[in-house]
């Protein structure tokens, strides 16, 4: 059985890494073809250009012209990593039997592709690439990531620990993903909801070999916040509980003050009053903010704007057909 494999690689301003990445991925594909696991003629490395401002798209086009193994998808503008990835997955879905997504900087060890394919051949529909350690990360990134996973677990969101978007999905799993229509995308949270048989593959994550991270702290924080608010309503419940608690405390305080008033003692201490006003005011603002965040999400979902728009598609399907045609003519000649 040889399957059609698509490697989906979102790229945003990746001109520095693309040539090396392309070279390495073509070796990976050649290795898999040699084993007879994939159909080399139809399998592709699909680069999704997420509205890059540098020469990324030109490079993808050049690669495509050189070798039909490389195909390209150009989004109409920058939509962020998750949307670019989704665009690639959805477009690959109709053409491939199995798809593996990875980052353009190849921080994730490409050797894991083979291990993923092995699990797929054993019957898994989803295979998660999991980092075996975070030694290479900075202290800050390691600890904030850990806190994030713990917090998500606490909120009851089922995500795979230390798994980024390096994963294998079968066509069936992608069909499942296609039915999740939400605009606020957090694929790591969505994929486990699909179900089917899944497994993990461990790998060592390296440092970026060129270019710089497209995930600065600000994007990282908003990504984490999106993940939390897209998958859990617990923050809202927590605020409700907090509201009930504070209200009960104020009732008890009211009774207490009435009692000491009747006993003839005057209440002193401006500061306590002022502090409590500020504390409660702050809590209320926070609560409104969190609720506003969810309302904002609902607003975006209701609008149901497209998650991505494709500007250009480079894929040698016509070449495939041409080859088919060629074969036919050869066969005719033989006869
Ligand atoms: N990326 C993207 N659109 C964006 C930002 C990033 O497609 O708006 C891609 C980027 O090209 C890379 C992947 O997402 O292939 C992960 O980004 P990066 O390696 O910079 O993140 P880090 O590894 O530092 O978390
Ligand atoms: Mg990276």
């Amino acid at each position: 059985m040889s399957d059609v494999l698509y490697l989906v690689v979102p790229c945003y301003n990746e001109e520095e890494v693309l040539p090396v990445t392309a070279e390495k991925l073509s070796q990976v594909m050649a290795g898999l073809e040699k084993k007879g696991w994939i159909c080399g003629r139809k399998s592709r490395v699909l680069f999704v250009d997420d509205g890059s401002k540098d020469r990324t798209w030109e490079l993808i086009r050049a690669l495509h012209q050189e070798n039909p193994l490389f195909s390209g998808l150009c989004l109409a503008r920058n939509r962020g990593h998750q949307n670019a990835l989704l665009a690639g997955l959805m477009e690959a879905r109709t053409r491939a039997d199995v798809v593996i997504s990875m980052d353009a900087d190849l921080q994730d060890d490409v050797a894991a592709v083979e291990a993923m394919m092995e699990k797929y051949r054993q019957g898994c529909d989803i295979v998660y690439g999991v980092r075996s350690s975070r030694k290479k990360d900075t202290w800050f990134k390691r600890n904030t990531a850990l806190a994030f996973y713990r917090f998500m677990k606490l909120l009851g969101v089922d995500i795979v620990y230390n798994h980024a978007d390096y994963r294998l999905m079968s066509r069936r799993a992608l069909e499942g993903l296609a039915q999740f229509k939400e605009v606020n995308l957090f694929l790591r949270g969505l994929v486990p909801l699909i179900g089917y048989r899944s497994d993990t593959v461990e790998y060592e994550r390296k440092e970026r070999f060129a270019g710089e991270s497209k995930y600065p702290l600000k994007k990282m924080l908003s990504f984490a916040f999106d993940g939390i608010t897209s998958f859990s309503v617990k923050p809202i419940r927590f605020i409700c509980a907090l509201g009930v608690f504070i209200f009960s405390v104020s009732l008890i305080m009211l009774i207490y003050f009435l009692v000491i008033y009747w006993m003839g003692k005057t209440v002193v201490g401006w500061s306590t009053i002022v502090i409590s006003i500020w504390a409660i005011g702050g809590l209320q603002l926070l609560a409104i903010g969190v609720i506003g965040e969810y309302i904002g999400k609902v607003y975006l979902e209701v609008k149901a704007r497209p998650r991505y728009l494709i500007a250009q598609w480079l894929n040698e399907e016509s070449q495939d057909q041409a080859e088919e045609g060629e074969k036919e003519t050869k066969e005719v000649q033989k006869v």
Side-chain angles (χ1 to χ4, degrees):
M1 179 182 80
S2 64
D3 292 296
V4 178
L5 168 70
Y6 267 56
L7 297 180
V8 173
V9 187
C11 308
Y12 178 57
N13 294 344
E14 298 286 12
E15 60 178 9
E16 283 160 278
V17 303
L18 259 182
V20 183
T21 300
E23 176 59 33
K24 281 204 183 144
L25 293 183
S26 77
Q27 284 166 12
V28 170
M29 294 296 251
L32 289 173
E33 194 186 354
K34 226 180 199 170
K35 286 189 162 205
W37 286 4
I38 62 166
C39 165
R41 200 167 50 85
K42 288 188 181 161
S43 296
R44 296 279 180 271
V45 175
L46 171 58
F47 291 112
V48 183
D49 176 21
D50 186 17
S52 299
K53 293 186 183 68
D54 62 1
R55 291 176 47 249
T56 300
W57 182 241
E58 283 158 47
L59 287 176
I60 294 172
R61 279 168 76 147
L63 282 167
H64 171 70
Q65 263 156 18
E66 248 170 54
N67 186 349
L69 170 71
F70 300 109
S71 67
L73 185 65
C74 180
L75 299 192
R77 69 176 186 88
N78 181 246
R79 297 289 289 123
H81 176 212
Q82 296 289 295
N83 287 299
L85 185 54
L86 183 81
L89 293 177
M90 290 302 105
E91 293 307 312
R93 164 174 62 115
T94 49
R95 298 166 170 88
D97 299 308
V98 53
V99 174
I100 298 178
S101 54
M102 59 174 74
D103 290 353
D105 53 11
L106 296 192
Q107 282 184 285
D108 307 312
D109 191 1
V110 285
V113 166
E114 217 172 288
M116 285 183 182
M117 281 302 286
E118 207 164 337
K119 300 247 159 143
Y120 166 72
R121 290 167 66 83
Q122 288 162 7
C124 285
D125 278 280
I126 301 173
V127 185
Y128 301 98
V130 173
R131 301 173 60 170
S132 51
S133 77
R134 279 187 173 263
K135 270 184 262 160
K136 294 270 163 57
D137 276 2
T138 57
W139 181 91
F140 180 76
K141 189 143 188 176
R142 195 165 53 231
N143 284 285
T144 46
L146 189 71
F148 174 68
Y149 284 109
R150 289 229 172 106
F151 190 56
M152 290 293 272
K153 261 255 140 68
L154 197 77
L155 294 178
V157 186
D158 179 23
I159 55 171
V160 180
Y161 185 64
N162 266 351
H163 158 69
D165 284 303
Y166 188 22
R167 76 175 84 79
L168 174 147
M169 292 176 82
S170 68
R171 175 186 277 208
R172 187 162 74 145
L174 288 170
E175 293 293 348
L177 180 66
Q179 293 186 35
F180 289 80
K181 302 285 184 206
E182 56 204 81
V183 175
N184 295 286
L185 262 191
F186 185 70
L187 288 169
R188 271 169 239 191
L190 270 186
V191 174
L193 297 181
I194 297 171
Y196 297 128
R197 204 172 128 193
S198 66
D199 207 335
T200 56
V201 161
E202 288 208 352
Y203 68 91
E204 205 47 75
R205 188 169 154 109
K206 291 171 263 182
E207 270 158 49
R208 202 176 233 280
F209 66 84
E212 51 191 39
S213 172
K214 275 62 187 185
Y215 264 104
L217 183 64
K218 200 173 132 224
K219 262 197 197 168
M220 223 168 78
L221 285 179
S222 83
F223 184 55
F225 198 66
D226 258 3
I228 293 163
T229 50
S230 294
F231 282 86
S232 176
V233 287
K234 282 200 182 162
I236 285 191
R237 297 223 180 104
F238 173 73
I239 282 169
C240 291
L242 195 68
V244 171
F245 173 73
I246 289 177
F247 185 65
S248 331
V249 170
S250 68
L251 278 184
I252 294 168
M253 270 160 67
L254 184 71
I255 294 166
Y256 171 73
F257 286 128
L258 281 177
V259 169
I260 53 177
Y261 174 73
W262 284 324
M263 285 163 72
K265 292 179 190 159
T266 41
V267 184
V268 282
W270 248 118
S271 43
T272 20
I273 293 171
V274 173
I275 286 168
S276 53
I277 288 173
W278 277 81
I280 302 229
L283 275 176
Q284 277 179 333
L285 279 181
L286 175 79
I288 293 170
V290 172
I291 292 167
E293 189 65 34
Y294 281 94
I295 293 178
K297 288 245 146 108
V298 172
Y299 180 55
L300 283 178
E301 298 294 349
V302 166
K303 279 193 292 192
R305 284 185 176 161
R307 296 181 284 190
Y308 58 86
L309 292 174
I310 294 167
Q312 278 185 63
W313 218 147
L314 297 177
N315 201 358
E316 272 322 301
E317 274 156 323
S318 46
Q319 162 134 358
D320 255 14
Q321 284 154 3
E323 276 174 26
E324 299 277 14
E326 229 173 71
K327 254 197 243 153
E328 270 170 34
T329 45
K330 270 182 201 155
E331 269 161 23
V332 169
Q333 279 166 0
K334 257 191 241 160
V335 175

